Amino acid sequence: LFIVLAALCATGYLVCETMKNRYLSQGESQFKSGDYSSAYESYQKAGRLSIRPRADILAKLAECAAMTGDTDGACGYYEKLIKLEPNNTEGRYAYGSLCIKAKDYKTAEKQIRALREINTPEATEYADRLTGNMQAGAVKGVIKDLFRKMIPGFDNLGRTLPGLDDSDETSADTGTK
């Protein structure tokens, strides 16, 4: 009876692992093709089949959520990732970048401090980049506020003049538009 039970457990485990790997592969393919919503679903299914949280799946879920505009969801996954791996510099950088984009400078500052405490060349570079992005965002915000006070209807100008709306901002993650 014990051998039969052990064989059933082993078979169940192998089936789950096979399905999880299939969902991971499917999610990777969908992500590469730009189908972030489908990739998100595939990664969610893979995550549900994992015995415990996996950093690689959490990172992909966060990326997919960010790419589909779900900033809150992405931040939630990055928080889980950082809790699982406190020294994950890429996760902290991506989370900090999202916080800056959402104008949550307090949380972004926490990520900068954590990156500086990790004290590796990569972490220091990420911290410096986040600091620069945060300062640039703050300056841009002050300038926009000044123009809003000086020019009636300024918020509508961004739709007609390149470089004035938020959709034309440089991506903090890649440094490109």
Side-chain angles (χ1 to χ4, degrees):
L1 178 66
F2 177 73
I3 294 173
V4 171
L5 186 57
L8 283 174
C9 288
T11 302
Y13 176 77
L14 289 174
V15 167
C16 284
E17 283 297 305
T18 301
M19 290 181 67
K20 178 177 60 180
N21 289 335
R22 183 181 304 149
Y23 286 130
L24 287 172
S25 176
Q26 186 178 24
E28 189 64 34
S29 174
Q30 292 162 331
F31 189 88
K32 286 180 181 176
S33 72
D35 187 359
Y36 303 113
S37 295
S38 296
Y40 181 81
E41 290 175 23
S42 295
Y43 288 125
Q44 278 187 317
K45 291 174 184 176
R48 283 193 291 268
L49 291 171
S50 295
I51 294 172
R52 56 183 149 263
R54 285 183 38 180
D56 60 335
I57 295 175
L58 291 171
K60 285 297 188 180
L61 284 165
E63 288 181 61
C64 289
M67 296 303 284
T68 58
D70 182 8
T71 302
D72 291 338
C75 287
Y77 285 116
Y78 281 124
E79 287 170 1
K80 290 176 184 178
L81 173 62
I82 290 166
K83 187 175 181 180
L84 185 64
E85 293 183 346
N87 290 339
N88 187 317
T89 57
E90 290 177 12
R92 286 193 179 276
Y93 174 73
Y95 182 36
S97 295
L98 282 176
C99 291
I100 291 169
K101 185 176 179 183
K103 296 180 179 30
D104 181 359
Y105 298 118
K106 183 177 178 181
T107 305
E109 185 61 40
K110 286 181 185 178
Q111 297 313 309
I112 292 169
R113 278 195 305 273
L115 285 165
R116 294 209 188 280
E117 287 174 9
I118 294 171
N119 200 25
T120 64
E122 179 185 53
T124 302
E125 181 183 337
Y126 282 150
D128 292 344
R129 286 169 61 184
L130 283 176
T131 301
N133 290 343
M134 193 161 62
Q135 290 169 346
V139 169
K140 187 175 181 178
V142 168
I143 291 171
K144 278 186 176 182
D145 288 343
L146 179 65
F147 279 128
R148 281 188 188 107
K149 290 177 184 174
M150 293 174 49
I151 304 170
F154 175 76
D155 290 328
N156 296 328
L157 288 176
R159 294 185 186 100
T160 59
L161 297 174
L164 292 180
D165 65 342
D166 290 334
S167 66
D168 194 40
E169 289 185 4
T170 300
S171 167
D173 191 37
T174 62
T176 61
K177 289 189 180 182

